[in-house]
């Protein structure tokens, strides 16, 4: 991850994108590292958030356009888990997109929204709100730790 951050904001955005997709990576560590290195915090938050949202949007598109066999083979989410998630979503609505940033569960959730043909604009807006708020809280925590450490 350190090497990716040498690329500047595009590297930070890439960290967010990878973490938002089905590939495990900690974008929170990347954001904290950028802030600790003295990068402008709001600019850093924006780029990691944008990358993460785009990565999650890719998951939605995978669900929308890929076959279940392809998803199971390449994304490594079993059909049974996707079936369970789609059943779980019935009656809960699109509001669960607010918490789609949770590891593992979030990927299956967003892919299931795509499979279910839930309108992207609804999923996208709620994903953006949830993900932005998560990074905002993480940025405040990072600031507090840095201030406590260096005071």
């Amino acid at each position: 991850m350190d090497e990716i951050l040498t690329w500047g904001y595009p590297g930070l955005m890439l960290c967010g994108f990878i973490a938002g997709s089905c590939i495990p990576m900690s974008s929170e560590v990347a954001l904290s590292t950028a802030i600790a290195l003295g990068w402008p915090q709001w600019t850093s938050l924006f780029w990691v958030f944008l990358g993460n949202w785009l990565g999650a949007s890719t998951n939605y598109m995978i669900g929308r356009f890929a076959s279940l066999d392809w998803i199971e083979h390449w994304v490594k989410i079993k059909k049974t888990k996707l079936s369970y998630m789609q059943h779980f979503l019935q009656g809960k609505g699109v509001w669960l997109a607010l918490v789609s940033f949770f590891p593992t569960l979030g990927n299956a959730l967003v892919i299931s929204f795509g499979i279910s043909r839930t309108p992207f604009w609804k999923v996208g807006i709620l994903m953006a709100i949830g993900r932005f708020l998560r990074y905002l809280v993480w940025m405040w925590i990072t600031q507090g730790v840095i201030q406590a450490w260096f005071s």
Side-chain angles (χ1 to χ4, degrees):
M1 181 177 322
D2 293 336
E3 180 148 337
I4 293 175
L5 289 179
T6 63
W7 301 347
Y9 293 123
L12 189 58
M13 184 175 162
L14 180 61
C15 287
F17 182 87
I18 293 170
S21 71
C22 295
I23 303 168
M25 180 181 238
S26 177
S27 56
E28 291 84 0
V29 171
L31 177 60
S32 293
T33 302
I35 292 170
L37 290 172
W39 295 16
Q41 56 195 6
W42 286 101
T43 307
S44 299
L45 181 144
F46 170 76
W47 287 109
V48 76
F49 155 75
L50 180 62
N52 194 263
W53 183 82
L54 290 170
S57 297
T58 301
N59 286 343
Y60 175 90
M61 295 305 166
I62 287 171
R64 179 88 183 210
F65 298 109
S67 72
L68 291 178
D69 290 328
W70 189 93
I71 293 169
E72 187 171 44
H73 179 71
W74 291 102
V75 183
K76 306 294 186 209
I77 299 176
K78 298 195 178 298
K79 291 178 195 176
T80 54
K81 187 173 186 177
L82 290 171
S83 176
Y84 171 79
M85 189 61 68
Q86 285 181 291
H87 178 71
F88 178 75
L89 288 175
Q90 291 177 353
K92 309 276 186 307
V94 72
W95 291 101
L96 284 171
L98 283 168
V99 295
S100 66
F101 57 82
F102 286 123
T104 309
L105 170 69
N107 292 335
L109 184 65
V110 174
I111 289 171
S112 293
F113 280 129
I115 291 170
S116 301
R117 306 277 195 252
T118 305
F120 178 73
W121 69 270
K122 291 179 182 179
V123 174
I125 289 171
L126 292 171
M127 281 191 322
I129 291 168
R131 288 164 193 274
F132 180 81
L133 290 175
R134 171 191 64 174
Y135 285 121
L136 183 64
V137 169
W138 190 261
M139 183 181 74
W140 287 335
I141 291 169
T142 299
Q143 289 172 334
V145 168
I146 289 172
Q147 287 175 354
W149 187 270
F150 292 107
S151 341

